[in-house]
Amino acid sequence: EPMVQKHLESLQSYYGNGLETGPLHRLTNLLLVEGLTDIQQKEHDILQIETTKGLRNASKSIPLEKLFLPLSKVSIPPRISVTIGVAGIGKSTLVKLFVYTWAKGEINKDIIFVLPLTFRELNTYEKLSAERLICSAFPHITEPNCISAGAARTLLILDGLDEFKTPLDFSNTVVCTDPKREIQVDNLITNIIRGNLLQEASVWVTSRPTAATQIPSGLVDRMTEIRGFGATEMKDFLDQMFLDNRDLSSQVLHHIRANRSLHAMCTIPGFCWISGSSIGHYLKNSTHQLQETTTVPKTLSEIYSYYFKMALSHPEKPRETLRIEQAVINSKRIVGSLGRLAFYGLLKKKYVFYEQDMKAYGIDLSLLQSSLYSQLLLRDEMQSFTAYYFSHLTIQEFLAAIYYYTAAKRAIFDLFTESGMSWPKLGFLNHFKSAVQRSLQTEDRHLDIFVRFLSGFLSPQVNKLLSGWLLVKDEHNSFRSQAISFLQGCLNTDYVISSRAVNTMHCLYEIQHMEIAKTVEEAMKNESLAGMLTPVNCSALAYLLQVSDVCMEETNLSNCLTYSICKSLLSQLLFCHNLRLDNNQFRDNVMELLGSVLSVKDCQIQKLSLAENQISNKGTKALARSLMVNRSLTVLDLRSNSIGPTGAKALADALKKNQVLLSLNLQHNTIKEDGATFLAEALLTNHRLTTLHLQKNAIGAHGARKIAEALKQNCSLKELILSSNSVGDHGSVALAEALKVNHSLQSLDLQSNSISSAGVTALTAALCFNKGLINLNLRENSISKEGGPAIARALQTNRTLRKLDLAANLLYDEGGKAIALAMKENRALTSLHLQWNFIQAKAATALAQALQSNSSLASLDLQENAIGDEGMAALSAALKVNTTLADLHLQVASVGAAGAQALAEALIVNKSLQILDLRGNSIGVAGAKAMANALKVNRSLRRLNLQENSLGMDGAICIATALRGNHGLTYVNLQGNRIGQSGAKMISDAIRTNSPDCVVDV
């Protein structure tokens, strides 16, 4: 008991110091992941963030207090847990938070001992035994054998595997089971993880992702990942940084959000601190230094140059301002020695340094108290040693680049050989090329950010920022153009576009040469990429897929890709959330490629459109196989391909297992009755799909019946489109039976299906029972006037239907009148389409009477029905009292001057109508004058279409002049009124003068 109590007090004292738990809520929930993704195993931390846009495709999280508990009642606690996170995300802070919270007795009370160790500590030993490991780190634990023997449940924490000086080699581990035997430290760690030592102890390792690959996945029981900032957390973090100036915090956040790549990287707290400090420093000082013509820092090099300039110019004491000359001398001395340490540390992948390292690189330890050092280099003081490390990985890379840039101007040997023994290498450009080539050749990409910074020193903006401090004014002019040519040459290889090519594009961005990227981005905006995707432009496209705002909402690569180009871009397409690849003449071989992408566990594609390609059942099978394992895709559009019944079967089989896909579009794919049958079977077990488009597939009545049977059990499907499928009355009757019991389907489209009054009678009878359907489309069928009363009965009973489309049927006045009578009672329908139904004045009058009492209908479409002036007059009378109708469509409705005059009177008092379409009538000059008078008063109308109405010049001028007093209209169409070119110009000028916010087509 005393030993345990002393241990708790020791941990509380050490780990509680300076730990502010308020801002650390992000760390109390970790992402539960299934292992390292390909990109985490191979790429630099910053490239991981840029490529994934700072987002992980993880569906589960685990609270910190449950990190070492079983996930279910039948599982056991994990023995080996690994938590990964990129540099600066808060791995060590997470450990401190856990240890402190545990020591206070708030979590994991079943654990008797928590033993937190860092790999920084382990670096100071050559050999250790398991028991000496515990005793040397925790002297107050006088009985280490109780831990090694498993007498007390113990958690051993090993923080920072990426900082360990020796790579772990599990394949050549020398087995050791004796806790008292001293062995090499790396062997000790591998034996502990393998379970040869401290078998009963749980082990928690934290690491950067690439270093975590050293531990075989088969030994890891649980892997978690620290997530970056969300939007609110980033704002709160910046507010904490600028506590005394919230306006500045908001400005900094605005600039970060405006730069897509920067915003992604600022999800990492360490990087957000540096970026926020730099941008804040610029914004604070730019107002006082009007002579500065610089812009807000955007590139990595600019951000870090401002950070260094801020650090370098910071006075040592509040009231002491160093003379500029002395500041320059000191800063060059400090940066020179630190830069060499940073550079050769980077080459050796060494990120923690000790006193012997500092002395070896000539670093004056007495200067470590200066403000500059404190912002660049941190130290960790333990009982037996002091460790030094750069405040962020990127700080080390920036300093390394400064050293290399400065040394390269005078070096005569290869700087990558520390001993200096190499073939002579003269001139800055030769050294620059050497650095870029080294970066391109490294497997783990650890030099990528270093060469970005190196390229950035050749940009005019960075030279201007650091000239007189770390750079010589305008010296970049001697090297810049040749460096650009060399970088572009690295792109001009072949169609194998890797992260290397993307990083080279980042180097060109740092050097501020963006001509290639701008050309490709402009082509993307204009959808004119076809024929211009050379290897160089493909590299630019891959880069833009990461950083361009054009790709933010949707990545549209339609009508421009070939098999080889698509293959070269696969690694970038993986992280496009909304991807359109329509009309690319893709065949089945491309589907094999895309299937492989969709099968990768870090795939983030959520919407994929492959419409209007040449995909057959073979390609569909490849896609279907990927859907069985994919966890990201929610929308798949395969319309206008040739998947056939066999392809439909493959997708149906995938849908039986896939529980992620929400929307599937198979329009115009000739799946026929068999395909519909397969999909119906899938609907019986799939509980996620909400939208299914099957129009133009020749499924017939039999296919419709199979789908109807499935709908009796399926409760997830919300939208079903079966238009142009020859469903007929038999299929409609089957669907009607389904609607009596299915209350989850919200939208049903049966357009162009040869449905007559018999079919509509069954459907409308079902509507009397149905409580879910909101939208029913029955346009372009054969519903006669006998169908009108059936529809009317449904409208009198149903309380959920909002939109009903009966356009292009055969209702005539009799059917129209029946529906109108029902509309007097209906209080649910908001949209009614009766276009082209041979309706005349009588039905229009009946509808007008309904509108006088109806308070739900917002849109009425009567176009191409000859209602004439009589029908128009009746509707106008209704508009004087109706307060809900917002859209009225009366194109080609035989309305003349008298009808227009009646309508104009209504518009003077009506306050709800916003859209009025009178195209293709004959209101003439008299009607135009009446409408013009109304427009001077009316304030609700937003869009008015008077196209092809025989207005002539006089009528058009009346409308134009009326707009002077009208401030509501945003669009007027006066085309086809024989105004002439000169008249059109005069009217356009008049409208531009009278109503500048109104768009007019003349």
Side-chain angles (χ1 to χ4, degrees):
E1 284 288 332
M3 184 173 70
V4 171
Q5 190 58 39
K6 189 166 185 180
H7 183 60
L8 290 173
E9 289 170 1
S10 168
L11 293 182
Q12 282 187 45
S13 170
Y14 182 77
Y15 285 94
N17 185 28
L19 186 69
E20 296 178 29
T21 54
L24 302 179
H25 180 71
R26 172 180 61 91
L27 299 176
T28 59
N29 266 297
L30 302 180
L31 298 175
L32 196 60
V33 294
E34 293 183 357
L36 295 166
T37 64
D38 289 345
I39 195 168
Q40 287 176 321
Q41 293 178 48
K42 298 173 184 174
E43 303 291 0
H44 187 289
D45 292 19
I46 295 292
L47 271 75
Q48 291 178 33
I49 300 300
E50 288 174 335
T51 308
T52 61
K53 300 11 174 233
L55 301 170
R56 268 304 304 274
N57 187 25
S59 54
K60 293 180 181 177
S61 63
I62 185 168
L64 187 60
E65 64 269 17
K66 294 183 179 179
L67 192 56
F68 306 105
L69 297 178
L71 288 178
S72 66
K73 292 179 180 177
V74 294
S75 59
I76 59 174
R79 181 175 178 272
I80 305 297
S81 300
V82 176
T83 295
I84 56 170
V86 296
I89 203 164
K91 297 181 291 297
S92 296
T93 307
L94 170 69
V95 169
K96 287 179 182 177
L97 178 65
F98 176 85
V99 173
Y100 182 61
T101 313
W102 171 83
K104 290 196 299 180
E106 294 176 8
I107 57 173
N108 296 94
K109 294 179 181 178
D110 58 318
I111 299 175
I112 305 302
F113 285 107
V114 169
L115 308 177
L117 295 165
T118 68
F119 281 96
R120 288 175 201 159
E121 295 173 69
L122 297 176
N123 283 339
T124 61
Y125 297 97
E126 291 300 324
K127 286 188 172 184
L128 273 177
S129 68
E131 288 193 359
R132 192 159 81 87
L133 171 73
I134 297 166
C135 288
S136 57
F138 308 100
H140 50 269
I141 297 180
T142 52
E143 299 174 40
N145 60 317
C146 73
I147 291 171
S148 57
R153 189 181 174 196
T154 301
L155 172 65
L156 176 66
I157 302 175
L158 301 171
D159 182 28
L161 174 58
D162 47 282
E163 296 177 342
F164 194 35
K165 64 181 179 181
T166 312
L168 299 181
D169 185 359
F170 283 83
S171 57
N172 296 309
T173 302
V174 178
V175 176
C176 175
T177 56
D178 181 1
K180 298 181 184 297
R181 180 184 163 197
E182 296 212 346
I183 55 175
Q184 294 288 334
V185 175
D186 57 318
N187 259 331
L188 176 68
I189 299 303
T190 52
N191 273 287
I192 289 172
I193 291 174
R194 277 201 179 278
N196 299 326
L197 292 168
L198 307 182
Q199 298 98 321
E200 301 302 320
S202 297
V203 181
W204 181 23
V205 181
T206 71
S207 174
R208 285 170 54 200
T210 44
T213 57
Q214 297 174 56
I215 304 175
S217 58
L219 295 178
V220 179
D221 301 309
R222 182 170 298 169
M223 183 169 280
T224 52
E225 183 175 353
I226 302 176
R227 64 180 180 84
F229 282 147
T232 305
E233 290 160 334
M234 190 183 295
K235 181 183 182 302
D236 292 344
F237 183 81
L238 291 169
D239 284 344
Q240 282 295 119
M241 280 183 67
F242 303 104
L243 265 175
D244 57 337
N245 193 339
R246 287 297 170 88
D247 286 342
L248 183 60
S249 171
S250 299
Q251 289 178 58
V252 170
L253 183 61
H254 170 76
H255 286 293
I256 288 172
R257 285 176 174 167
N259 185 328
R260 189 183 181 197
S261 180
L262 180 60
H263 187 240
M265 289 191 286
C266 281
T267 58
I268 309 308
F271 189 88
C272 193
W273 172 267
I274 294 166
S275 300
S277 301
S278 300
I279 296 171
H281 175 71
Y282 167 81
L283 292 172
K284 259 195 300 192
N285 293 285
S286 60
T287 51
H288 304 303
Q289 299 170 353
L290 298 175
Q291 72 275 17
E292 291 256 331
T293 56
T294 52
T295 57
V296 178
K298 293 178 181 176
T299 69
L300 273 180
S301 308
E302 289 170 11
I303 287 166
Y304 281 72
S305 296
Y306 267 105
Y307 187 77
F308 270 71
K309 192 171 181 180
M310 177 180 68
L312 293 172
S313 57
H314 188 73
E316 297 293 312
K317 296 176 183 175
R319 295 184 182 179
E320 177 187 351
T321 304
L322 289 176
R323 288 183 299 112
I324 190 74
E325 296 87 353
Q326 190 59 44
V328 170
I329 293 167
N330 282 357
S331 64
K332 283 184 176 178
R333 185 178 161 199
I334 292 170
V335 170
S337 54
L338 274 184
R340 190 162 173 265
L341 174 78
F343 176 66
Y344 289 108
L346 191 62
L347 294 190
K348 297 169 188 172
K349 301 177 191 175
K350 185 172 182 177
Y351 308 106
V352 181
F353 308 93
Y354 301 88
E355 288 195 13
Q356 63 268 29
D357 299 310
M358 308 300 272
K359 289 174 183 175
Y361 284 94
I363 293 171
D364 187 349
L365 295 176
S366 65
L367 288 174
L368 291 180
Q369 302 300 323
S370 75
S371 63
L372 172 59
Y373 262 123
S374 65
Q375 295 194 55
L376 307 182
L377 201 67
L378 305 177
R379 57 180 171 181
D380 192 359
E381 294 189 23
M382 304 297 285
Q383 289 177 346
S384 57
F385 71 93
T386 301
Y388 301 89
Y389 54 97
F390 292 96
S391 55
H392 191 256
L393 172 62
T394 48
I395 294 288
Q396 181 173 351
E397 290 163 323
F398 186 82
L399 277 166
I402 287 178
Y403 165 76
Y404 190 89
Y405 179 88
T406 307
K409 289 182 288 183
R410 61 177 185 271
I412 58 173
F413 291 108
D414 186 2
L415 289 164
F416 282 87
T417 307
E418 189 173 7
S419 64
M421 298 299 291
S422 69
W423 288 102
K425 192 180 287 289
L426 295 170
F428 174 83
L429 282 167
N430 283 323
H431 287 287
F432 177 82
K433 290 175 184 178
S434 174
V436 173
Q437 286 164 343
R438 290 267 186 161
S439 162
L440 294 172
Q441 290 162 5
T442 53
E443 287 293 322
D444 61 3
R445 326 293 306 125
H446 75 284
L447 296 177
D448 281 4
I449 305 304
F450 159 75
V451 294
R452 283 199 211 174
F453 284 133
L454 187 60
S455 303
F457 294 143
L458 297 176
S459 88
Q461 182 80 338
V462 172
N463 181 270
K464 186 173 184 178
L465 280 168
L466 296 181
S467 60
W469 292 87
L470 301 175
L471 305 180
V472 177
K473 186 178 181 182
D474 296 333
E475 67 178 347
H476 65 288
N477 293 333
S478 309
F479 319 121
R480 187 168 180 268
S481 60
Q482 290 165 287
I484 289 168
S485 298
F486 175 73
L487 289 170
Q488 288 177 336
C490 294
L491 299 172
N492 198 11
T493 49
D494 50 31
Y495 279 109
V496 181
I497 309 299
S498 65
S499 57
R500 291 167 171 80
V502 174
N503 198 62
T504 304
M505 286 299 305
H506 276 289
C507 289
L508 286 168
Y509 175 62
E510 293 294 328
I511 214 168
Q512 288 297 283
H513 180 81
M514 293 303 295
E515 278 75 359
I516 302 170
K518 283 177 182 174
T519 301
V520 175
E521 187 172 42
E522 198 59 37
M524 286 183 76
K525 285 179 187 173
N526 302 330
E527 299 184 19
S528 58
L529 276 173
M532 64 175 291
L533 288 179
T534 61
V536 171
N537 286 345
C538 274
S539 297
L541 177 58
Y543 163 77
L544 290 167
L545 291 178
Q546 287 185 10
V547 304
S548 173
D549 289 339
V550 176
C551 307
M552 187 172 285
E553 297 299 323
E554 178 184 76
T555 303
N556 187 354
L557 298 177
S558 301
N559 194 32
C560 67
L561 299 185
T562 62
Y563 173 84
S564 59
I565 295 174
C566 185
K567 186 177 181 180
S568 72
L569 290 170
L570 285 182
S571 59
Q572 306 304 321
L573 297 179
L574 194 65
F575 301 99
C576 297
H577 290 179
N578 186 356
L579 184 58
R580 266 183 66 193
L581 301 174
D582 303 343
N583 195 24
N584 275 306
Q585 282 79 54
F586 282 163
R587 296 183 182 274
D588 297 330
N589 55 353
V590 181
M591 296 309 104
E592 297 283 349
L593 293 176
L594 290 173
S596 67
V597 169
L598 291 169
S599 301
V600 175
K601 63 185 172 187
D602 51 350
C603 174
Q604 289 189 9
I605 302 173
Q606 295 172 7
K607 297 180 181 180
L608 175 61
S609 179
L610 289 162
E612 299 176 16
N613 282 291
Q614 297 172 20
I615 306 166
S616 73
N617 61 72
K618 184 182 176 185
T620 312
K621 287 177 182 176
L623 287 174
R625 284 194 298 271
S626 70
L627 288 179
M628 292 191 179
V629 294
N630 177 276
R631 296 181 182 179
S632 66
L633 196 69
T634 59
V635 178
L636 177 60
D637 187 347
L638 289 170
R639 65 193 144 85
S640 300
N641 281 287
S642 306
I643 74 168
T646 312
K649 183 181 188 306
L651 288 170
D653 290 341
L655 286 174
K656 291 174 185 177
K657 294 185 178 181
N658 180 292
Q659 294 299 321
V660 179
L661 197 70
L662 299 175
S663 175
L664 178 61
N665 189 339
L666 297 179
Q667 174 185 344
H668 198 205
N669 265 290
T670 328
I671 69 168
K672 300 184 179 177
E673 293 180 359
D674 288 347
T677 302
F678 297 135
L679 288 167
E681 290 173 8
L683 289 176
L684 292 172
T685 54
N686 183 287
H687 304 298
R688 286 287 291 168
L689 199 71
T690 61
T691 303
L692 181 59
H693 291 193
L694 295 177
Q695 59 266 51
K696 296 183 180 178
N697 267 300
I699 70 169
H702 179 75
R705 281 199 295 271
K706 290 294 182 181
I707 289 173
E709 287 302 312
L711 286 177
K712 290 179 180 179
Q713 296 182 47
N714 180 286
C715 294
S716 63
L717 203 66
K718 305 295 181 196
E719 180 181 331
L720 176 61
I721 299 183
L722 296 175
S723 58
S724 303
N725 265 305
S726 304
V727 166
D729 288 336
H730 292 298
S732 300
V733 170
L735 288 165
E737 289 302 310
L739 287 177
K740 288 180 180 178
V741 294
N742 180 304
H743 301 291
S744 56
L745 193 70
Q746 295 178 358
S747 180
L748 177 60
D749 189 334
L750 293 172
Q751 178 178 340
S752 302
N753 266 301
S754 305
I755 300 170
S756 70
S757 296
V760 86
T761 299
L763 286 167
T764 50
L767 287 178
C768 295
F769 300 94
N770 183 279
K771 295 181 177 62
L773 203 67
I774 293 172
N775 183 8
L776 178 59
N777 184 356
L778 292 170
R779 67 161 51 207
E780 296 174 19
N781 279 291
S782 305
I783 303 169
S784 66
K785 55 190 175 186
E786 287 77 20
I791 296 168
R793 282 192 293 275
L795 290 177
Q796 287 169 330
T797 309
N798 184 282
R799 293 290 178 267
T800 56
L801 197 67
R802 297 287 181 268
K803 296 180 180 179
L804 177 60
D805 193 338
L806 297 168
N809 280 288
L810 305 164
L811 289 173
Y812 290 93
D813 267 357
E814 291 90 329
K817 284 165 68 177
I819 291 170
L821 285 170
M823 289 304 297
K824 285 185 176 181
E825 298 178 33
N826 183 284
R827 292 293 178 270
L829 206 67
T830 59
S831 175
L832 178 61
H833 287 262
L834 294 171
Q835 171 192 358
W836 198 12
N837 259 292
F838 304 97
I839 285 172
Q840 296 183 352
K842 289 181 181 178
T845 302
L847 283 165
Q849 290 170 351
L851 284 175
Q852 292 188 16
S853 58
N854 181 286
S855 59
S856 65
L857 200 67
S859 179
L860 176 60
D861 186 349
L862 290 172
Q863 61 181 302
E864 299 185 78
N865 287 297
I867 67 169
D869 287 341
E870 183 184 347
M872 186 72 259
L875 287 170
S876 300
L879 287 176
K880 290 180 180 178
V881 294
N882 181 281
T883 58
T884 55
L885 197 70
D887 301 1
L888 181 57
H889 299 269
L890 296 169
Q891 300 98 303
V892 196
S894 303
V895 177
Q901 287 165 348
L903 180 58
E905 290 178 16
L907 289 177
I908 290 173
V909 295
N910 181 282
K911 291 182 174 60
S912 64
L913 201 66
Q914 296 179 16
I915 298 174
L916 176 59
D917 196 334
L918 291 170
R919 175 169 51 88
N921 288 289
S922 306
I923 72 170
V925 178
K929 287 180 178 177
M931 293 291 290
N933 288 330
L935 291 178
K936 292 175 183 177
V937 180
N938 181 282
R939 289 291 177 272
S940 65
L941 211 59
R942 296 291 176 265
R943 298 177 67 85
L944 174 62
N945 191 340
L946 294 175
Q947 188 178 352
E948 299 168 7
N949 259 288
S950 306
L951 301 185
M953 174 74 82
D954 292 344
I957 288 174
C958 287
I959 298 293
T961 53
L963 294 182
R964 180 176 298 167
N966 185 300
H967 301 291
L969 274 169
T970 58
Y971 175 77
V972 178
N973 192 327
L974 298 175
Q975 291 176 325
N977 279 295
R978 293 179 298 213
I979 296 168
Q981 223 168 4
S982 60
K985 185 181 185 309
M986 186 171 72
I987 287 162
S988 294
D989 292 343
I991 291 178
R992 202 173 292 114
T993 304
N994 297 333
S995 188
D997 296 330
C998 183
V999 176
V1000 60
D1001 285 334
V1002 286

